[in-house]
Structures are given as structure tokens and as C-alpha cells.
Amino acid sequence: MTALSRAARRHGPAVLFVAALLGAWQGLADLQVISPVFFPAPSRAFEELAFSASDGSLWTSAWATIKRMLGGWLLASAAGIVIGGAIGSSRTARDYLEPTLEFMRPLPASAIIPVAILFLGLSGSMALAVIAFGAIWPVLLGAAHGFATSRRGLRDVAAALEFGPVQWMWKFSLPAAMPDILSGARISLAIALILAVVTEMQASLPGLGYDIFMAQRSFRSAELYAGLIALGVIGFIVNHGLAMFERRVLSWREPQS
Amino acid sequence: MAHGHSAQDLMRPAGSAQPAMSVREVSLTLGGPPGRLILDAISFDVRQGEFLSIVGPSGCGKTTLLRLMAGLMPPTSGEITFEGAPVRRPSLSRAIVFQDYTNALLPWRTVSANIALSLEARGVARAERDDRVAALLKKMGLQHAAAQFPGQLSGGMQQRVQIARCLAQQPRIMLMDEPFGALDAITRQGLQDELMALAADEKMTVAFITHDLEEAIYLGDRVFVLAANPGRVVEEIEVGLERPRHQLLTREDPRFLKHRHRLFGLLQGH
Ligand SMILES: Nc1ncnc2c1ncn2[C@@H]1O[C@H](COP(=O)(O)OP(=O)(O)OP(=O)(O)O)[C@@H](O)[C@H]1O
Ligand SMILES: [Mg+2]
């Protein structure tokens, strides 16, 4: 009961705002100020959503997009931690890599798509490569910063306990850099979702992005909005999931006593 | 067991047995060239099983000397040997309790996991670790803090964790750098007595650094006094107060007061 009322107090305002927004949308659509061809009522969008959920097409598409996003994000995170870790902990690695990375970083990921298509075709691996390229930067910079923070005290501890370089990385450096890595990874995940949708649109790969694109092409506006709502829900859930994971892993950072 | 040190043991002449650690003509110059002479031709022995206090004013090179003894850095000249072998790098057989406990514990590891770090370093099997950790938690009065993170503990508790981690190493010497320097007086006295009991129980060899001369006398079998600029040994005293010691009675003992007067004068530069 108290948990319920606490949840109500905490989330009540947000729920109210969403309800008001939907109400306004519905009202405007009912007035038909704008043609329903471009601006369908939310009730129609939700009907469409329910329909595609019941015939299974929603789940197939959503799952395709989620897999694409997660795949690209995992690639980006793994590569970002390795490269960022190298830059952060080794002067030599930084001297070699940093200028090239500084050159590549401002390149918009969507501008990479033609190159990726040239090499990998209109394929899922092309999409993964583009997503990984675009999403790598926040996690890479986070890792570089996290590993670069000097921790002389901990170095002495590692040396005193006769830990070698591998164990130094594994037991000291990586966990110490974890907060920076995770905050980068969260931004990377948002970018990965964006790029999953963009590559689907550009390369006709199955997924919500492709569905939205096709709906727009054939003026099925209710379907278009249904796709957008589904994307929004995915982004929301995934971001919250990662935030919860972060709180768990980094629980040591919140003094509780 | 607690009566491991008899007065005779403590006052046996140097050289009757191999010293645990021997520091010979150790000098250190930092920066430069020409650089600054931080430690100047320091020589002394740490005897087997003794509690050696090293006291000196802030900045005289105490931490630096301890780092040399640990093998964390090499001297510019001179030699340090531990159990007859030259000290070239840190070793699990020499445990270090760092001055700055906030940077010596791994903040993302619980108290238990911080203590287990030493066991991991020694390659103790996972199955065995829990029992060892439990025993050390009990010994250091940390049972109820086992699952907490260092950031949630008081300074005194954190320093207890550091000591427990050092004990888990099963070292043959403990090198302690002002371990109680940042603690309040009450906590400090409590830990002093715990440490003394521990050292007696385990017949530990301890080199204990402090800038508090009363602490140096109260804890030590011997006290070395360092002077600054450059750091050098200016005096050595045998404390000769019987153990177990007592926070009030020992500190009121005329011999304690005599040592205190003498060291006070030296530290003031008279
Ligand atoms: N890396 C270094 N390079 C140059 N000088 C240093 C370095 N580390 C320490 N020093 C100098 O060496 C001297 C001794 O420092 P040290 O930290 O050993 O003193 P301390 O006796 O431990 O002081 P405190 O009681 O404040 O801890 C100081 O004057 C300090 O400035
Ligand atoms: Mg010091």
C-alpha cells in the first residue's frame, strides 16, 4: 500500500502529462484541422499497434531492430573499452591512435553508410558495422578517461601484492574505470538505436525502421505512428534497464550509512 | 602466547641473530640533476620480532624510507636486505599499511573482498578464502561490516580493513606508515592496543612510522628519531617498558616521561 502510494506520487505527474498529451492529440485529430492522412488520431495508432501485435509482425520487427541495436552496441562497447583502455593507460597507444581517432570521430555515421555498403553490401553486417562505428565514441572516450585517471595509491597496493600487469588491468584499472565506461555506454546505446533505424531505412533491412519508412511511402500514417510509439517504448525500456544495471554494479558509489 | 617478548629478548644486543631487515648507508636523491637529497646515509636494523618505531617531523622522509624498505622504489645508493636477500621489488612477505587509507582500499570491493585480495594474490584456493576472511574479520572486529563498502565505513574501520588485508598476506614484516595519523584520539588508542596485542600474538616484526612521539614510545621496543633536510637517523632509544602496556599507567611511567622529554627535545632541534 505504501509502496503503491509512493509509486503513484513519484510517477503520477509523468503519467498525467502523457495522458494530457494524448488527449490533446486525440482532440486535435478529431477536429481534423490537419488531414488524417498525415495526422491520425492516437486511437488509430494504438489500434494499428494492437493489430500488428496480434498478427505477430510487431514482435518480429521490434525484435529485429533490438537485435541490431544490441549487436552494434556490444561491438561498439567491446571495441570502445579495448581502444579507450589502451589510449587511457598507454602513452604510446595514445600517440599512435589519437590523431586518427580525432579525425574519424566527427564523421557522421550516416555518411559512413555508403562506404559500408560498398564493402559489406545491403546486409545485416553492414548495419552492425555502421552502428558500431557511430556508437563507439561515447564508450571509447569514457574508457579513455576512466583508465587515464591516475591512481597512484592503488598502483602501490597492486605492486605490494605482487600483481602483474594483467591482474592490474583486471582487478584494479577496469573496475576503477567502470563508472566512466558505463556512463559512456548509455549514450552509446541511444546512438545504437538511432543508427539501427537509419540503416534499416537506408538498406531496406527488416525492422521497425523499415516498417516506418514503408508506412510513410504508402501514406499509412497510423502505422507510421504505431512504429514510432514502439521505438519510443524500446528506447525507454532499454535505457532504464541499463540504468538499473548501472546502479547495481556501481552501488559502492552511494554511501548508505 | 601473548608473552612472546621477554625483556631480555628485546634487549639482546644487535648481531646476536640475523636481523629481519637491514638498511645500510641508504641515500636517496630525487629530481634534478643535481636533485634534492631526501635521505642521507641511513643505516639501521629491524630485529627479528621487534616493534620498531620510527618518528620524525612531517616531510623528513618517513614515507619515502618506508617505500624503500618495501621495495616500491630503489635507493640512489646503499643497500637494503630483508632476511639476507637484497630488496629489489615489493614482496608479499613485506606487508605495507599505507598512510592514506582512502586510496589503499578498493572502493568497489566489499570489506570481505578487500581482505580476500591478499588471498587472491597468494593464490589461495577460492574455497579456502571464505574461511580465512571470516577468521580475519573476527580478529579485527569487522564481522558486521563484512558486506559493506569502504566508502560506508569510518576511518578507523577502514584502517582495520587495511590491517586485516595485510595480515591475510601472512607477511614476515609489517611496514606501517602513520596508520593512525588521521584518526581521532579515542579510535587511535583503541587501535594502538589492538595492534600491540596482535603483534605479540603473532610475534610480528613491525616497522611503525609515526610523527607522534608518544605513540612511538608507547608502541615500540625501540624508537628511531629522524631529522629533516636531509632525512637522517639522529637518535635511537631502547624503550625497555614491560608489556603488556597500558594507556594510562605506561604513559605515566617515569621512564616513559624521560623518553618523551628526550625525544621532544630532539624533534624541536635542541
Ligand atoms: N616524488 C618526489 N619527488 C620529489 N620530492 C619528493 C617526492 N616525494 C617526496 N618528496 C619530498 O621528500 C620529502 C619527504 O617526503 P615524505 O613523504 O617521505 O615525508 P614524510 O616524512 O612521510 O612526511 P609526512 O609526515 O607529512 O607524511 C618531502 O620534502 C617531499 O617534498
Ligand atoms: Mg608520510
Side-chain angles (χ1 to χ4, degrees):
Chain A
M1 187 57 206
T2 50
L4 205 67
S5 66
R6 208 180 315 129
R9 191 165 319 138
R10 178 137 173 251
H11 301 297
V15 171
L16 273 181
F17 182 71
V18 170
L21 210 59
L22 285 175
W25 179 6
Q26 185 76 41
L28 276 177
D30 287 347
L31 288 176
Q32 303 222 346
V33 201
I34 311 169
S35 159
V37 178
F38 311 116
F39 194 66
S43 52
R44 296 250 298 93
F46 281 106
E47 266 166 38
E48 195 57 56
L49 210 54
F51 177 72
S52 59
S54 64
D55 81 355
S57 60
L58 172 66
W59 309 120
T60 323
S61 292
W63 182 232
T65 301
I66 291 173
K67 271 198 304 197
R68 218 183 292 293
M69 167 191 73
L70 288 181
W73 175 70
L74 286 176
L75 264 178
S77 300
I81 291 173
V82 170
I83 301 173
I87 292 174
S89 24
S90 149
R91 182 77 224 225
T92 321
R94 184 161 74 236
D95 289 347
Y96 273 98
L97 298 177
E98 205 168 50
T100 311
L101 291 173
E102 285 302 322
F103 171 78
M104 286 164 68
R105 191 155 67 94
L107 294 178
S110 46
I112 297 299
I113 295 179
V115 184
I117 292 178
L118 213 55
F119 278 93
L120 299 165
L122 293 169
S123 64
S125 31
M126 179 283 294
L128 281 188
V130 171
I131 296 169
F133 176 84
I136 197 174
W137 307 108
V139 69
L140 188 152
L141 293 177
H145 180 259
F147 278 88
T149 307
S150 104
R151 297 183 171 85
R152 194 177 150 199
L154 290 184
R155 266 197 184 284
D156 287 344
V157 172
L161 293 173
E162 297 187 47
F163 284 122
V166 174
Q167 284 165 315
W168 161 252
M169 276 288 158
W170 189 244
K171 289 188 200 287
F172 294 79
S173 259
L174 184 62
M178 215 29 131
D180 290 319
I181 292 174
L182 283 179
S183 57
R186 236 166 105 187
I187 304 173
S188 288
L189 189 59
I191 297 175
L193 180 58
I194 294 169
L195 289 174
V197 170
V198 169
T199 51
E200 282 167 10
M201 289 180 167
Q202 292 256 314
S204 302
L205 296 165
L208 287 173
Y210 179 69
D211 292 354
I212 291 171
F213 187 63
M214 289 315 282
Q216 180 260 317
R217 281 256 165 131
S218 45
F219 297 99
R220 296 192 306 262
S221 58
E223 236 175 89
L224 193 160
Y225 282 83
L228 285 181
I229 292 169
L231 272 182
V233 170
I234 291 175
F236 184 85
I237 291 175
V238 162
N239 185 48
H240 271 257
L242 194 55
M244 263 164 65
F245 174 76
E246 201 176 315
R247 264 203 302 281
R248 241 190 119 95
V249 172
L250 302 183
S251 60
W252 55 270
R253 292 214 299 179
E254 313 160 359
Q256 276 139 23
S257 56
Chain B
M1 286 306 287
H3 312 292
H5 306 273
S6 71
Q8 282 88 340
D9 272 353
L10 299 177
M11 291 195 235
R12 77 194 156 203
S16 67
Q18 186 192 40
M21 183 176 271
S22 141
V23 177
R24 286 284 159 273
E25 296 288 316
V26 162
S27 298
L28 181 76
T29 308
L30 283 178
R36 211 182 114 208
L37 187 62
I38 307 281
L39 297 175
D40 185 18
I42 292 190
S43 295
F44 62 88
D45 284 346
V46 186
R47 297 173 195 157
Q48 211 61 254
E50 86 167 326
F51 199 117
L52 175 68
S53 299
I54 300 171
V55 65
S58 189
C60 73
K62 302 184 295 294
T63 296
T64 309
L65 176 62
L66 197 90
R67 291 175 68 80
L68 296 178
M69 292 163 75
L72 283 168
M73 59 196 282
T76 309
S77 65
E79 190 173 51
I80 301 177
T81 55
F82 178 62
E83 296 176 341
V87 169
R88 304 219 186 286
R89 63 184 67 82
S91 155
L92 279 164
S93 59
R94 295 187 297 274
I96 312 164
V97 177
F98 294 94
Q99 185 169 8
D100 179 10
Y101 49 76
T102 55
N103 284 314
L105 297 173
L106 280 53
W108 54 86
R109 282 189 175 227
T110 60
V111 166
S112 289
N114 262 289
I115 298 172
L117 190 67
S118 291
L119 302 174
E120 293 165 28
R122 285 176 48 218
V124 173
R126 193 179 288 273
E128 233 182 288
R129 281 183 217 154
D130 289 349
D131 289 346
R132 302 275 188 93
V133 169
L136 285 162
L137 287 169
K138 185 146 179 279
K139 178 174 279 183
M140 295 306 299
L142 288 164
Q143 300 100 314
H144 56 283
Q148 288 191 285
F149 292 102
Q152 304 169 323
L153 301 179
S154 67
M157 293 294 266
Q158 292 189 52
Q159 208 50 298
R160 276 201 176 86
V161 178
Q162 227 202 131
I163 293 171
R165 188 176 68 196
C166 285
L167 292 176
Q169 278 177 245
Q170 299 189 338
R172 294 198 295 283
I173 189 171
M174 283 269 250
L175 306 170
M176 311 183 81
D177 188 5
E178 298 195 39
F180 311 142
L183 307 178
D184 63 273
I186 304 283
T187 309
R188 190 182 177 119
Q189 293 188 352
L191 277 172
Q192 286 170 350
D193 289 336
E194 278 178 47
L195 176 63
M196 269 198 299
L198 210 63
D201 273 359
E202 320 253 322
K203 297 194 168 61
M204 255 181 347
T205 307
V206 182
F208 185 98
I209 279 176
T210 176
H211 62 241
D212 176 347
L213 58 90
E214 291 201 35
E215 182 175 66
I217 303 165
Y218 181 66
L219 292 175
D221 295 317
R222 287 190 300 160
V223 179
F224 284 170
V225 183
L226 296 187
N229 297 316
R232 61 201 185 279
V233 179
V234 290
E235 177 65 306
E236 168 196 342
I237 62 166
E238 294 275 354
V239 174
L241 291 162
E242 40 290 304
R243 296 178 186 273
R245 294 180 184 170
H246 185 276
Q247 287 288 357
L248 283 179
L249 301 180
T250 304
R251 287 173 194 268
E252 286 162 358
D253 189 297
R255 290 166 294 169
F256 184 95
L257 294 174
K258 200 184 99 219
H259 292 318
R260 192 172 165 274
H261 271 266
R262 172 149 183 70
L263 296 188
F264 188 81
L266 279 166
L267 287 174
Q268 299 299 305
H270 299 307

